[in-house]
Amino acid sequence: MLNIQEYVAPNSLEEAYQYLISQKGATLLGGCAYLNLGTRNIPLAIDLSRTGLSYIRENEDTIELGAMTTFGDVEHSAILARYFNNILALSVRDIVGIQLRNLVTVGGTVYSRYGFSDFITALHVLDTQVKLYKQGIFDLEYFLENGSKEPDILEKVIIKKDNRQAVFKAMRNSRGDYAILNLALARIGDKFRIVVGARPGRAALALNTMEYLNNEYAQKRELSPEILKNAGEIIAEELSFGSNGRGSSEYRKELAKVLLRKAIQEVI
Amino acid sequence: MVVNLKINGRHYTLDVPPDEILLTTLRNLGFNSVRQGCDTSTCGVCTVHVDGKAVLSCTVLTCRLDGHEVTTLEGVEEAAETIGRFLVEEGVEQCGYCSPGLIMSILYLEKCVPQPTDEQILHYLNGNLCRCSGYEGQLRAIKKYLEVKYGAGSKQAI
Ligand SMILES: Cc1cc2nc3c(=O)[nH]c(=O)nc-3n(C[C@H](O)[C@H](O)[C@H](O)COP(=O)(O)OP(=O)(O)OC[C@H]3O[C@@H](n4cnc5c(N)ncnc54)[C@H](O)[C@@H]3O)c2cc1C
Ligand code: FES
Ligand code: FES
C-alpha cells in the first residue's frame, strides 16, 4: 500500500529530475507494481507517464525501449519480434498475468536491478546499454554491478542490432510464479554468451563457461554431449547459487546444467 | 486531486487522494463488480480495462488516469451476460467471486486474439486465479463461447 503525500505528473524529464532531487524520499512511479508491495510512505510521487518515455523505436543500428514501455508493449512489439528470436517478449510472457504486464515498466525493472528479473537476464545476453538522464550511457553489465551513483531517471534501454540468435529459458513451479532460475544464451557467429539470473542473485555472465564453449567450438566445430556435460559442470561451479523458498542452491546448480544444455541445443 | 476520466462511457470529475487506487474509486462509485482478492497484484479479480487494455485496478493510482477511459463489467453487461451463461453451463460458477475479473480478461483475450489456441487462452487468463479451481471448466466455457461467436475454424470475426 502506498501512502502518498503529494503527486506530480511533469511533462518533461528535466522537470521530473528537478522534483526527484528536490527532497529526500521523492519517488518515481513506473508501473507501481513493485512499489505497491508492502507499505511505503512517499512524500512526493513523480509520475513519469507524461514524459514521453513510452516507445519502442528502431534506429539504423539500435533498438530503443523508453523507460515507461510496459512488458505488455514488449510482448506485442512487431519490432522486437524481428530480432534475437523475440527473446525479450519470450522472457516476460510468464510474469504473472497480462493485466500486470500491461502495467510494469522497463524503467522500473532495469533501474531496480532485481535479481529475480527475467527481463534483465534476457537484456543482458544482448548488447545492451542503459541511459540515465543525468549520468549518461552505461553498459548494462556495468550498471547491474554498480547501479546509479546518485538519484537519477532511467530514460531508456538501448540495444545494438546484430544478428545474434538468442534463447531464454526459465524454470518455474507454475506459470506466473517467480523463476527458480533463468538463463539466456546468445550465439554470435561462433561465440556464445551466457547469462544466469534468479540464482536468486542478480543476472551474471557465466564467463568460464563461455570461454570453454567458445574454445571447444573453435577447435571442433561441434559441441558433443560430453562438451555440454562439461559446460554444465563449469557453470554450476563458477556462479554462486543461493537457497530460498523456491529452491536450494543444489537444485539451482542442477537446473543451470539442464537449462544450459537445452539452450545450446536450440542454437547449434 | 481532481481527476477527469470516463467510466463506462460516462464522464466523471473526481476529487481523490493521491494514493487512492482505482479499485477503491470504482467501488466507492458503486461499481461493485470490481473486487479485491489480494494485496500483491497477483489474483486478477480486480481486472478492468483502461483505454482498452486489461489492467489490475488494485495497482493503478486513480490520479494517473486524468483523461483516460475505464471500463468495468457494468459497462459491458450484455457481453458479460453471454459469457456468464457459458460459464454457468460448464459449472464454473462456484462462489463466483472471480467471475467479473475473469470476464474482463476473456473480453481482452477476445479483442487481442479472437480465435485463440488453448495455449493462448491459458496465456491470457494466467493472471486470473480462481480459488474454487474451475480452470478446466473455464477453458471449456471460453472455447464454446468463442466458437459460437466466431465459428469453429473460421479466421474472421463475425
Ligand atoms: C506480484 C509480482 C510478481 C512479479 N513476478 C515477476 C517475475 O516472475 N519475473 C520478473 O522478471 N518480474 C516479476 N515482477 C517484477 C515486475 O516484472 C517489474 O520488474 C516490477 O514490478 C518493477 O516494475 P514497475 O514498473 O512496477 O516499477 P515500480 O514499482 O513503479 O518501481 C520500482 C522502483 O523503480 C523506481 N523507478 C521506476 N521507474 C524508474 C525510472 N524510469 N528510473 C529510475 N527509477 C525508476 C521506482 O521509484 C521504484 O523504486 C513481479 C512483480 C509483481 C508485483
Ligand atoms: S486484487 Fe488481487 S490482483 Fe488486484
Ligand atoms: S468461482 Fe470461486 S473463486 Fe472462482
Side-chain angles (χ1 to χ4, degrees):
Chain A
M1 204 179 88
L2 298 177
N3 298 315
I4 297 174
Q5 260 137 56
E6 197 189 343
Y7 163 90
V8 288
N11 290 314
S12 73
L13 270 174
E14 179 56 28
E15 214 185 324
Y17 179 73
Q18 291 305 328
Y19 277 123
L20 181 64
I21 57 170
S22 70
Q23 61 174 284
K24 204 164 172 267
T27 302
L28 299 168
L29 305 181
C32 279
Y34 227 74
L35 279 171
N36 220 11
L37 294 177
T39 302
R40 204 181 278 250
N41 292 315
I42 298 179
L44 178 64
I46 308 155
D47 187 348
L48 288 176
S49 55
R50 296 198 186 160
T51 53
L53 295 182
S54 180
Y55 57 80
I56 299 177
R57 271 186 211 137
E58 181 169 11
N59 305 320
E60 196 168 330
D61 299 322
T62 60
I63 297 169
E64 295 182 345
L65 309 183
M68 291 303 283
T69 303
T70 68
F71 283 3
D73 300 331
V74 167
E75 212 174 329
H76 296 113
S77 163
I79 295 174
L80 295 178
R82 287 202 299 273
Y83 292 94
F84 319 119
N85 312 82
N86 208 13
I87 187 174
L88 294 179
L90 294 172
S91 74
V92 300
R93 73 186 310 278
D94 284 331
I95 297 175
V96 191
I98 186 69
Q99 310 96 314
L100 183 90
R101 297 195 297 278
N102 278 341
L103 294 172
V104 302
T105 60
V106 166
T109 299
V110 178
Y111 193 83
S112 304
R113 304 182 298 143
Y114 301 116
F116 58 76
S117 176
D118 297 299
F119 185 65
I120 291 176
T121 298
L123 274 182
H124 197 0
V125 90
L126 308 177
D127 189 346
T128 305
Q129 296 180 313
V130 297
K131 163 122 199 282
L132 300 182
Y133 176 62
K134 272 291 152 183
Q135 295 165 82
I137 295 178
F138 299 91
D139 283 341
L140 177 65
E141 190 177 351
Y142 176 88
F143 181 73
L144 289 179
E145 258 170 48
N146 301 287
S148 175
K149 299 252 178 305
E150 54 194 70
D152 208 334
I153 303 172
L154 192 143
E155 186 180 330
K156 62 183 168 185
V157 164
I158 307 163
I159 304 164
K160 189 161 170 246
K161 287 197 299 195
D162 55 28
N163 58 0
R164 73 186 64 194
Q165 290 180 65
V167 184
F168 178 82
K169 296 276 169 205
M171 175 67 185
R172 299 175 132 78
N173 279 328
S174 68
R175 231 195 261 231
D177 196 2
Y178 289 94
I180 305 169
L181 194 78
N182 60 39
L183 180 146
L185 180 142
R187 179 176 174 184
I188 316 118
D190 288 347
K191 298 265 188 269
F192 298 91
R193 183 177 169 92
I194 301 158
V195 177
V196 188
R199 298 173 289 113
R202 209 169 276 146
L205 283 167
L207 293 168
N208 297 343
T209 314
M210 284 157 53
E211 192 185 349
Y212 172 73
L213 286 171
N214 291 341
N215 286 339
E216 290 295 322
Y217 196 72
Q219 283 167 29
K220 303 183 178 127
R221 314 304 303 164
E222 63 161 10
L223 295 176
S224 65
E226 197 194 336
I227 293 172
L228 296 189
K229 189 163 176 286
N230 294 341
E233 297 303 329
I234 297 170
I235 206 165
E237 284 317 307
E238 75 164 304
L239 294 172
S240 61
F241 294 87
S243 300
N244 64 6
R246 287 194 168 70
S248 65
S249 143
E250 290 72 24
Y251 182 51
R252 286 193 161 93
K253 284 185 181 191
E254 293 308 312
L255 278 182
K257 297 177 190 175
V258 176
L259 297 186
L260 175 66
R261 177 165 45 75
K262 288 188 166 177
I264 292 176
Q265 281 167 344
E266 280 189 30
V267 297
I268 55 172
Chain B
M1 297 233 29
V2 176
V3 184
N4 286 292
L5 76 170
K6 260 191 184 172
I7 305 172
N8 298 332
R10 196 179 137 198
H11 186 266
Y12 287 80
T13 299
L14 306 171
D15 194 359
V16 294
D19 43 19
E20 183 165 298
I21 50 174
L22 179 59
L23 169 69
T24 307
T25 308
L26 291 170
R27 288 191 63 86
N28 286 346
L29 289 170
F31 297 107
N32 291 330
S33 72
V34 189
R35 302 195 175 146
Q36 177 152 30
C38 72
D39 54 11
T40 54
S41 304
T42 41
C43 74
V45 302
C46 64
T47 301
V48 299
H49 296 181
V50 170
D51 301 334
K53 283 188 181 171
V55 298
L56 301 172
S57 62
C58 68
T59 308
V60 177
L61 295 171
T62 305
C63 61
R64 302 183 92 174
L65 294 179
D66 197 50
H68 293 271
E69 211 167 324
V70 178
T71 309
T72 70
L73 192 86
E74 288 84 350
V76 288
E77 260 176 10
E78 211 176 300
E81 228 181 282
T82 310
I83 296 173
R85 271 203 306 276
F86 283 88
L87 293 173
V88 170
E89 272 165 29
E90 292 303 324
V92 177
E93 283 254 332
Q94 294 181 55
C95 77
Y97 196 74
C98 66
S99 301
L102 174 69
I103 291 172
M104 294 312 286
S105 291
I106 295 171
L107 290 172
Y108 186 59
L109 158 78
E110 184 182 346
K111 182 177 156 192
C112 298
V113 202
Q115 291 233 284
T117 60
D118 285 10
E119 173 56 31
Q120 284 169 320
I121 296 175
L122 295 179
H123 178 63
Y124 271 82
L125 299 186
N126 194 42
N128 289 85
L129 300 185
C130 172
R131 300 296 174 195
C132 306
S133 284
Y135 299 121
E136 286 295 323
Q138 286 178 3
L139 183 61
R140 285 195 306 273
I142 294 163
K143 283 168 71 173
K144 283 193 181 157
Y145 161 67
L146 293 172
E147 267 167 33
V148 168
K149 187 155 179 196
Y150 297 100
S154 121
K155 291 279 168 215
Q156 289 298 312
I158 51 170

